[in-house]
């Protein structure tokens, strides 16, 4: 058996308080989307490079260049690229603790890669980079022709970090009966989103990616709680939720969500 090796370029990379650190982007580019039997529902495959958000990591030192490499996901063949963003980030003590908590939450609660007996101590970890959410933006530079040109840049989505960390321990949040009665579906909050059913195992919540909101042309509801359930044991989705979870669905006009299980 070979000894497990860690990249030396990632050693001792944890950002220091009140110093400027580097932002590295982890970008995925869809090269070939799945078709046919690999996409039985004929879902629209979105290229991650065309979206506003992506992940990256922070490092207090510059790492060697990483060649692009292929990754095969359920969406198809991707090309992964890791590169240095133009922006830099000044990290204070509060921000560093929030970033550590976000990193730990991703690996422990979302990916569930933390096994028993392991402790999260990034200061002692052989690889001490911090995974962070990034948002694409524009970066103005002066070209050789002395003209301002806009290039894509990436910045830390700190608002998202704060929202996630502040909700740890409260997700999934169980809504009150009054909240459920007043609930009105807003399609913009569910497109390209991750949802957690609050009525299932709260100790080990499951995560689902919303692949599609069941609308026709984004206007007409294609499937709703009164639609026929795929299993003959239940007359419709209303019947399923009443029998399975003792839950009455109040908003009968909301569309159903077509989701993919993403917890692992």
């Amino acid at each position: 058996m070979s000894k497990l090796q860690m990249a030396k370029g990632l050693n001792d990379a944890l950002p220091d308080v009140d110093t400027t650190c580097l932002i590295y982007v982890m970008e995925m580019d869809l090269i070939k989307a799945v078709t046919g039997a690999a996409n039985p529902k004929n879902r629209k495959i979105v290229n991650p490079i065309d979206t506003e958000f992506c992940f990256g990591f922070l490092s207090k030192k510059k790492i060697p260049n990483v060649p692009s490499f292929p990754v095969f996901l359920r969406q198809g063949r991707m090309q992964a690229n890791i590169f240095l963003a133009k922006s830099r980030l000044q990290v204070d003590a509060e921000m560093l603790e929030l970033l550590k908590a976000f990193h730990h939450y991703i690996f422990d609660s979302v990916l569930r890669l933390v096994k028993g007996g392991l402790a999260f101590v990034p200061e002692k970890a052989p690889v001490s980079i911090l995974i962070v959410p990034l948002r694409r933006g524009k970066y103005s530079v002066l070209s050789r022709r002395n003209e301002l040109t806009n290039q894509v840049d990436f910045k830390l989505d700190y608002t998202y970090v704060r929202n996630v960390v502040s909700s740890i321990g409260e997700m999934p949040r169980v809504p009150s009966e009054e909240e459920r009665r007043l609930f009105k579906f807003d399609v913009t909050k569910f497109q390209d989103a991750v949802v957690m059913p609050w009525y299932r195992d709260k100790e080990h919540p499951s995560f689902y990616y919303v692949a599609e909101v069941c609308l026709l042309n984004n206007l007409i509801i294609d499937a709703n709680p009164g639609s026929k359930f795929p299993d003959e044991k239940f007359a419709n989705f209303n019947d399923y939720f009443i029998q399975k979870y003792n839950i009455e669905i109040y908003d009968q006009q909301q569309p159903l969500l077509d989701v993919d299980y993403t917890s692992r």
Side-chain angles (χ1 to χ4, degrees), residues 75-117:
Q75 297 94 333
R77 179 184 174 182
M78 303 276 187
Q79 196 72 12
N81 301 289
I82 299 176
F83 56 90
L84 181 63
K86 297 183 182 298
S87 295
R88 300 294 184 264
L89 182 67
Q90 183 85 9
V91 179
D92 59 27
E94 179 186 10
M95 178 184 288
L96 184 58
E97 291 307 309
L98 287 174
L99 293 174
K100 289 179 185 178
F102 179 87
H103 177 102
H104 187 221
Y105 176 75
I106 292 296
F107 284 91
D108 185 16
S109 300
V110 179
L111 299 176
R112 297 182 182 173
L113 296 176
V114 178
K115 306 301 180 182

Side-chain angles (χ1 to χ4, degrees), residues 232-250:
E232 294 183 356
K233 294 180 181 179
F234 308 99
N236 50 40
F237 286 88
N238 284 317
D239 188 31
Y240 168 79
F241 276 92
I242 289 175
Q243 292 194 43
K244 187 79 172 179
Y245 302 107
N246 193 30
I247 292 176
E248 179 182 355
I249 300 175
Y250 295 115

Side-chain angles (χ1 to χ4, degrees), residues 33-238:
V34 293
T35 58
N39 187 13
K41 296 184 179 180
N42 197 29
R43 287 176 174 163
K44 178 183 178 182
I45 305 298
V46 177
N47 189 346
I49 205 171
D50 295 328
T51 63
E52 185 179 358
F53 305 96
C54 69
F55 280 99
F57 61 86
L58 303 182
S59 173
K60 70 179 182 182
K61 64 180 184 180
K62 194 170 184 179
I63 68 172
N65 291 334
V66 179
S68 63
F69 53 92
V71 179
F72 297 89
L73 304 177
R74 68 176 67 181
Q75 297 94 333
R77 179 184 174 182
M78 303 276 187
Q79 196 72 12
N81 301 289
I82 299 176
F83 56 90
L84 181 63
K86 297 183 182 298
S87 295
R88 300 294 184 264
L89 182 67
Q90 183 85 9
V91 179
D92 59 27
E94 179 186 10
M95 178 184 288
L96 184 58
E97 291 307 309
L98 287 174
L99 293 174
K100 289 179 185 178
F102 179 87
H103 177 102
H104 187 221
Y105 176 75
I106 292 296
F107 284 91
D108 185 16
S109 300
V110 179
L111 299 176
R112 297 182 182 173
L113 296 176
V114 178
K115 306 301 180 182
L118 293 179
F120 178 61
V121 187
E123 292 80 4
K124 297 182 179 180
V127 175
S128 53
I129 59 174
L130 293 176
I131 301 298
V132 296
L134 302 177
R135 183 189 291 264
R136 299 177 195 272
K138 293 294 184 180
Y139 182 79
S140 296
V141 297
L142 195 63
S143 69
R144 293 181 179 178
R145 298 179 180 179
N146 292 327
E147 297 175 344
L148 281 177
T149 60
N150 287 327
Q151 296 182 2
V152 176
D153 193 19
F154 298 80
K155 293 186 177 181
L156 172 70
D157 192 347
Y158 193 45
T159 299
Y160 183 71
V161 171
R162 296 179 70 95
N163 289 340
V164 169
V165 174
S166 65
S167 300
I168 293 176
E170 299 178 1
M171 296 188 293
R173 187 182 66 84
V174 179
S176 68
E177 199 70 9
E178 183 66 14
E179 286 179 297
R180 296 207 311 110
R181 289 182 184 276
L182 297 175
F183 172 78
K184 293 300 178 184
F185 186 86
D186 181 354
V187 65
T188 62
K189 294 182 178 180
F190 290 87
Q191 290 174 323
D192 194 31
V194 174
V195 295
M196 292 183 293
W198 55 266
Y199 44 83
R200 293 184 179 173
D201 186 358
K202 288 184 287 185
E203 294 297 324
H204 304 91
S206 298
F207 298 81
Y208 296 86
Y209 171 71
V210 180
E212 288 186 34
V213 179
C214 295
L215 296 171
L216 295 177
N217 299 322
N218 292 322
L219 294 173
I220 304 172
I221 295 177
D222 185 35
N224 58 39
S227 298
K228 184 178 179 181
F229 196 79
D231 191 327
E232 294 183 356
K233 294 180 181 179
F234 308 99
N236 50 40
F237 286 88
N238 284 317

